[in-house]
Amino acid sequence: MRIIFAGTPPFAAAALNALADAGHEIVLVLTQPDRPAGRGMKLTPSAVKQAALARGLAVSQPASLKTQEAQAELREANADVMVVAAYGLILPQAVLDLPRLGCLNIHASLLPRWRGAAPIQRAILAGDTETGITIMQMDAGLDTGAMLSKVALPIGDADTAASLHDALAVAGADAIVAALAHLADLAPVAQNDTLATYAAKLSKEEAQLDWRQPAAALARAVRAYCPVPGAWTLLDGAPLKIWAARAVDGAGEAGEILRADGDQLVVACGAGALALLELQPAGSKRMTAQAFLAGRPCAPGTHLGR
């Protein structure tokens, strides 16, 4: 099958590689323009661009798909289908109408739950016990198209956004290959809009822990914001990232350090307490609570978040 593939991050690169390995003809790869990254802010190609170039595939990086030039390039590709995964650009109706078999999206949730930009993180934050992959027909709405197939995955108590992303990337790659192999037999199912939830884009500000929240909710937040943007709090006015934590028993004023000795750094929450397991002070590396306390003693009664 002749495919135009559109995607940007590693989640999408996994699907691109799977489609190529399955023998499909990838006639054009669309991805976001190179972005500054790393300490030197050097222009860096996306994971999808790197995967495409490694396979000798044609790559295009338009800033928009609304221009006549961009649409002409897609038209000339003469694709049977367009596969989209975390691309980052809106597909206008003129583009949606180009491929003979339409445009299919690989979405990292069980639609209609968690439409939008951050479905993996929002599922963890909400305490969902499962998520998955939905292959859907794209329309002009935000993840509103008819569903062709679904694959469910459990969310484990220790899953972070990073670990769940990796599992979903593999599941998404397998799901799109299977969907294209049986496309003629898949019956589109309309989404129930009344069950839809919105997965808003993440911000650094929301990743600041509110110690008035229950410990269980804060433990989920630490997992959901790992690795980006990273859960954080304040200690003596300086930011302190928290990479791993778990809910434990304990009571005190919200944000109060209850225990700070050996490998124990326990903070009171609105309900229960949070044991901080892995931290990163500003300007330093990630470290265990024990290593942190060895270099920065914290007296019980000290408050985080200030």
Side-chain angles (χ1 to χ4, degrees):
M1 194 173 290
R2 291 174 59 85
I3 296 174
I4 295 173
F5 185 90
T8 298
F11 175 86
L16 173 61
N17 284 323
L19 289 168
D21 289 343
H24 292 288
E25 183 182 359
I26 313 298
V27 294
L28 181 64
V29 174
L30 301 177
T31 192
Q32 288 274 330
D34 296 359
R35 307 290 190 200
R39 290 182 177 271
M41 296 302 286
K42 180 181 178 182
L43 280 179
T44 304
S46 72
V48 163
K49 181 178 179 179
Q50 294 179 53
L53 293 179
R55 291 178 174 272
L57 302 176
V59 175
S60 181
Q61 298 174 272
S64 169
L65 294 181
K66 297 179 180 180
T67 67
Q68 291 184 357
E69 293 79 7
Q71 292 177 19
E73 183 178 32
L74 299 183
R75 191 176 298 109
E76 290 169 6
N78 191 30
D80 297 312
V81 67
M82 184 169 175
V83 173
V84 181
Y87 178 32
L89 287 184
I90 294 173
L91 272 61
Q93 191 63 49
V95 171
L96 294 172
D97 293 339
L98 281 177
R100 180 174 62 87
L101 299 174
C103 300
L104 305 185
N105 181 248
I106 309 168
H107 187 74
S109 81
L110 297 174
L111 291 170
R113 188 160 178 80
W114 302 126
R115 297 171 177 172
I120 297 173
Q121 295 89 345
R122 297 299 173 194
I124 295 175
L125 282 168
D128 292 359
T129 58
E130 71 170 3
T131 185
I133 292 292
T134 303
I135 304 298
M136 69 170 194
Q137 296 175 331
M138 296 184 70
D139 61 17
L142 177 64
D143 300 328
T144 55
M147 303 173 293
L148 295 177
S149 65
K150 287 185 178 183
V151 178
L153 270 71
I155 300 178
D157 292 339
D159 268 324
T160 64
S163 66
L164 197 54
H165 165 280
D166 292 349
L168 286 167
V170 173
D174 291 343
I176 189 61
V177 170
L180 291 180
H182 302 94
L183 194 55
D185 301 321
L186 297 178
V189 176
Q191 295 187 42
N192 183 344
D193 291 340
T194 64
L195 300 178
T197 55
Y198 178 58
K201 185 178 179 180
L202 302 176
S203 70
K204 181 180 178 181
E205 290 72 25
E206 74 171 284
Q208 181 176 7
L209 298 184
D210 179 355
W211 295 105
R212 297 169 296 181
Q213 295 294 315
L218 293 179
R220 291 197 301 270
V222 171
R223 291 163 44 217
Y225 297 132
C226 177
V228 177
W232 63 283
T233 187
L234 293 173
L235 175 59
D236 295 334
L240 176 67
K241 278 196 172 183
I242 301 169
W243 292 105
R246 59 183 172 87
V248 296
D249 292 334
E253 186 179 352
E256 177 187 0
I257 293 179
L258 302 178
R259 295 193 297 279
D261 55 76
D263 61 352
Q264 294 284 306
L265 181 53
V266 179
V267 184
C269 305
L274 197 66
L276 310 186
L277 307 176
E278 189 176 352
L279 308 97
Q280 184 177 9
S284 187
K285 62 182 181 179
R286 291 168 64 163
M287 61 188 74
T288 64
Q290 185 173 23
F292 173 78
L293 290 172
R296 175 72 179 272
C298 295
T302 301
H303 277 75
L304 297 183
R306 300 178 180 178

